[in-house]
Amino acid sequence: TVSPTSTTTYTVTGSNGGCSGTASVQVTVNPNPNFTATGETICSGLSGTISASGANSYNWDSPLGSGQSKTVNPTTSTTYNVTGTDNNGCTGTASARITVNSLPTVTASGQTICAGETGSVSSSGASTYTWDNGLGAGQSRTATPSETTTYTVTGTDGNGCTGTATTRIIVNPIPAVVLDPQH
């Protein structure tokens, strides 16, 4: 039994009663496949794709099984291992990583105003902010609602991950003043 690291020719000499003969055999060593595996960065709660290339067949660690690419849903950053097999039956291994970024914790605050006044809402915890109800983009926005209104803000962090928060501008009615003509 031999274990050459490269293609090697072996020669054997045999003799029988003074006569000898030789024979040669070559053991061909095929290289293991040089293949790659890739992953991606995702936001928490989303799915990601891992894929491999450069071999003929692929088998991912359990429970993923065989296939060139897989969709995965990790809750934390995870490394996945894959074995690739080429046409010669030789195997190699590679790893793909899914990096999971947490979602930003977005907070929002509003205020109480009297009817007809302008109020403001503000947010924190992300890099950019987009408000609903026509308020547009920005960390702080102003509005003049005619009644108590709830506003939702979506905050996006530097990784492109988003979080949401809600707040209200509470509108108090202006008190009706009635004059009593008898007093």
Side-chain angles (χ1 to χ4, degrees):
T1 300
V2 294
S3 300
T5 58
S6 62
T7 299
T8 304
T9 301
Y10 296 92
T11 303
V12 62
T13 302
S15 63
N16 182 3
C19 297
S20 64
T22 61
S24 297
V25 66
Q26 183 179 45
V27 175
T28 302
V29 177
N30 293 313
N32 287 330
N34 183 16
F35 76 103
T36 59
T38 58
E40 62 183 331
T41 299
I42 62 172
C43 298
S44 180
L46 299 179
S47 61
T49 301
I50 52 175
S51 60
S53 62
N56 287 359
S57 65
Y58 308 91
N59 191 35
W60 297 88
D61 285 348
S62 181
L64 297 178
S66 63
Q68 188 170 3
S69 65
K70 295 290 180 177
T71 300
V72 292
N73 300 300
T75 57
T76 61
S77 295
T78 304
T79 299
Y80 299 89
N81 299 309
V82 60
T83 300
T85 305
D86 66 11
N87 284 335
N88 298 313
C90 298
T91 61
T93 59
S95 297
R97 183 163 178 82
I98 296 289
T99 301
V100 179
N101 290 323
S102 59
L103 302 179
T105 302
V106 177
T107 59
S109 61
Q111 63 183 153
T112 301
I113 61 172
C114 293
E117 293 181 342
T118 297
S120 65
V121 290
S122 62
S123 187
S124 63
S127 300
T128 61
Y129 306 89
T130 304
W131 294 86
D132 69 351
N133 286 331
L135 294 185
Q139 188 170 5
S140 297
R141 306 306 294 164
T142 59
T144 309
S146 59
E147 61 186 8
T148 297
T149 303
T150 300
Y151 298 93
T152 300
V153 62
T154 300
T156 304
D157 67 12
N159 295 317
C161 298
T162 60
T164 60
T166 58
T167 190
R168 296 186 312 165
I169 294 179
I170 298 171
V171 179
N172 288 326
I174 295 175
V177 178
V178 178
L179 297 176
D180 185 354
Q182 296 179 356
H183 288 96

